[in-house]
Each structure stands twice: as structure tokens, then as C-alpha cells.
Amino acid sequence: MTKYKNKDGIELNFNGNDIQSKLVKEVVEEAINIFENYNRFDARSAEWALSRGVNFLKENFDIEDGRRSDKWRINQFNRNRIASDKVSTIEELERRIDEISNS
């Protein structure tokens, strides 16, 4: 696997032992733990891990500029769900995500 490079060909290098490098590594390691530690036999658990991991990274790296629209988030949540499990408002979506993450 090759390292990610931006459009200018620059890649990250966190081989140092400075406090900033250590902190970034810790945040990324925690995100990996969130993404990996879910019940692989439960689709809702996987959804929770994905949602929690993405939100964790956005929060810790202050990434909110590219926030998806409410309509997009609702459509993503409703994919592959039976009609009775679908939501139609952002409030319903957030309530359901809370229910899933607290179950």
C-alpha cells in the first residue's frame, strides 16, 4: 500500500517523537479502533462504527466545511432499509442514530 499524497505530491510524515506527531497518531489510532471494533454480524453495529468514526475524525480535525446535506445523510441512512425503518427528517435520523449507538 502506498502512502497518500496530495495533488502536489506531498505525503504525511509522522515519524517524529514531538508532541504534535504523538497526538495525531493517538487520534488516528483511536479512530482505527472505533472503525474496527464492532459486531461484524450486526449491520447496525457497523453503521454505528462508521458514523462514530467519521464524526470522531471530523471533530478532532475540525473538518466541517464539506458537511453533507441533510437530504444526502437521510438517503444514506435509508439505503437498504425496509420501509418501516426509514426516516424522513434530520431530527428522525439523529434520534435513530442515538438509539442505535445506545443499544
Side-chain angles (χ1 to χ4, degrees), residues 38-83:
Y38 67 92
N39 180 349
R40 285 163 172 57
F41 300 104
D42 183 354
R44 290 180 189 232
S45 178
E47 288 175 20
W48 176 87
L50 183 58
S51 176
R52 173 75 177 101
V54 167
N55 289 334
F56 176 83
L57 288 170
K58 284 181 176 181
E59 181 177 324
N60 283 280
F61 288 103
D62 294 321
I63 301 171
E64 284 300 324
D65 297 342
R67 186 174 170 105
R68 303 285 187 163
S69 71
D70 290 349
K71 182 179 178 183
W72 183 89
R73 292 175 62 209
I74 290 168
N75 286 339
Q76 292 302 304
F77 183 85
N78 286 337
R79 285 187 319 156
N80 302 321
R81 292 190 185 279
I82 61 173

Side-chain angles (χ1 to χ4, degrees), residues 12-33 56-57 59-62:
L12 288 173
N13 183 354
F14 282 98
N15 293 329
N17 265 342
D18 60 282
I19 191 70
Q20 188 74 18
S21 294
K22 287 180 181 180
L23 185 57
V24 170
K25 285 179 188 177
E26 285 178 26
V27 169
V28 171
E29 286 172 354
E30 181 61 24
I32 290 169
N33 285 334
F56 176 83
L57 288 170
E59 181 177 324
N60 283 280
F61 288 103
D62 294 321

Side-chain angles (χ1 to χ4, degrees), residues 1-13:
M1 180 182 227
T2 58
K3 285 180 116 179
Y4 171 81
K5 292 182 181 180
N6 71 2
K7 63 182 178 183
D8 298 320
I10 300 170
E11 66 183 41
L12 288 173
N13 183 354

